[in-house]
Every structure is written in structure tokens, then in C-alpha cells.
Amino acid sequence: SQQGEEDPQALSIQEGENATMNCSYKTSINNLQWYRQNSGRGLVHLILIRSNEREKHSGRLRVTLDTSKKSSSLLITASRAADTASYFCATDAKGYGQNFVFGPGTRLSVLP
Amino acid sequence: EAGVAQSPRYKIIEKRQSVAFWCNPISGHATLYWYQQILGQGPKLLIQFQNNGVVDDSQLPKDRFSAERLKGVDSTLKIQPAKLEDSAVYLCASSRDSGFEGTQYFGPGTRLTVL
């Protein structure tokens, strides 16, 4: 199975609601990053959280990291139709081998 | 600043043919990455360059894929010969930082269809 896996695979919410996506990974990491991909703007970096950090904020985004559980969550508050996209977590794994791995993504639909 | 440029945007070829993709990173970015994204999946790192040297090509199918980054700026990714399973979007990204410590900026991608 993959290093990073997002949950749920798909999420549909109403505008104004909050959206939470989770990411689990298997190996020790240097950092974990969240990306958004839609047809309009392509793949865009959202936020990077390092292994010694527990929480980061950027605008309406809040990311948490629990290295003991090897998991991260992305919270989007007060969602907008423009937030409709696929969201991926990517892990920068420590050591050699396949160092930077994207999960399969969560498809978020924000309905007006 | 200008973003990462890629060409062509779309390419359709027959299996066993050859194809090449071009990438021009953001000016001043030393690190360049090529990813393969199959429909419904996350991007998969194929190769990472630091200036014109290869840092990691462990996921590159070297029997058919090759990549180069001459003069540490533009890069080309080639597939020869192509297989049906190579149908995917090929993304190029660049970063000011080395490794995976910083923000990667992605180009629009080249959508390859192998018939």
C-alpha cells in the first residue's frame, strides 16, 4: 500500500461548511505537505508542516500532524465553491528510496 | 514571475512510438522534478535534478524513459518506445530549495495518450 493515503476518497459538502481530510503514512518523515489540484489552476502547494510541528495555519486552512499516529489532517473552514478540487498529501520520507510520495487524494465537492 | 512552462500540452501517439516532453522551470530554481500522474491517482515522482545533476531517479523506468537537464535550466523527458500504460499526465515542477524542503511549483502538464 502507499506511503500516504487520504481519507475519505470523496467528500461533498455545502458552501459555508467545514471540510476535514485525513492522511495516514507509514514511515518516519521530514515533512508532510498538502496540495490542491483542479482543472483551472493545476497542482498547487498549500502548506508544509515539519515533523517537529504539530499545527499550522494558512488563511482558512488548518493542518495538524501527529507523528506518533503517523497521521495528518487538513481542515478547510467556511468552504467555498472555488475549493472544489482534489486534495493530496505528500510525505518527504527519511532515509533512502522513494522519498517523496503523494497519496491518491480526496475529491472535495463544495455545493453552492 | 513566470510559472513553470511545459510543452506540448497534449500528445497522442501509437504504442511503440517515441515522445518527448519539454519543461522550462521558474528562473533561478535549482531543483527540477518530473512526475507521472495516472488518472485517478496522485503524482508519482520519476526523477529529481539539482542543477544539471540527477539526485533521484529510482522510480524512472530506465529501459524506456530518459531525462536530461542540460545547463541546469530546461529539461526534457523522453519515452522510447511508449506503452499503453504510459498514458498519463506528465508534470514538471521546480523549487528554489533542494530536496523536498520547500514549495514546489508545478507546470500545467502534458497529457499523453498512447493508442
Side-chain angles (χ1 to χ4, degrees), chain B residues 30-62:
Chain B
T31 309
L32 185 147
Y33 316 80
W34 282 102
Y35 292 85
Q36 178 193 58
Q37 186 174 22
I38 293 172
L39 186 64
Q41 299 182 18
K44 172 187 169 184
L45 179 67
L46 293 176
I47 189 167
Q48 176 193 355
F49 291 94
Q50 181 77 20
N51 296 310
N52 61 348
V54 175
V55 175
D56 180 9
D57 63 356
S58 58
Q59 299 299 306
L60 188 73
K62 299 180 188 65

Side-chain angles (χ1 to χ4, degrees), chain B residues 8-106:
Chain B
R9 293 294 309 277
Y10 305 91
K11 190 73 177 179
I12 300 174
I13 61 172
E14 302 276 339
K15 61 182 178 183
R16 292 187 289 273
Q17 286 187 323
S18 302
V19 65
F21 313 125
W22 173 81
C23 172
N24 180 239
I26 293 173
S27 178
H29 282 196
T31 309
L32 185 147
Y33 316 80
W34 282 102
Y35 292 85
Q36 178 193 58
Q37 186 174 22
I38 293 172
L39 186 64
Q41 299 182 18
K44 172 187 169 184
L45 179 67
L46 293 176
I47 189 167
Q48 176 193 355
F49 291 94
Q50 181 77 20
N51 296 310
N52 61 348
V54 175
V55 175
D56 180 9
D57 63 356
S58 58
Q59 299 299 306
L60 188 73
K62 299 180 188 65
D63 58 334
R64 298 183 300 105
F65 286 63
S66 64
E68 61 181 7
R69 190 183 184 196
L70 299 177
K71 301 180 182 179
V73 181
D74 293 4
S75 178
T76 55
L77 176 70
K78 297 179 182 178
I79 307 175
Q80 180 179 8
K83 293 185 176 181
L84 296 177
E85 58 260 37
D86 298 332
S87 293
V89 176
Y90 291 84
L91 297 165
C92 178
S94 70
S95 172
R96 190 180 307 277
D97 302 289
S98 62
F100 304 103
E101 281 296 309
T103 299
Q104 294 181 51
Y105 297 86
F106 283 80

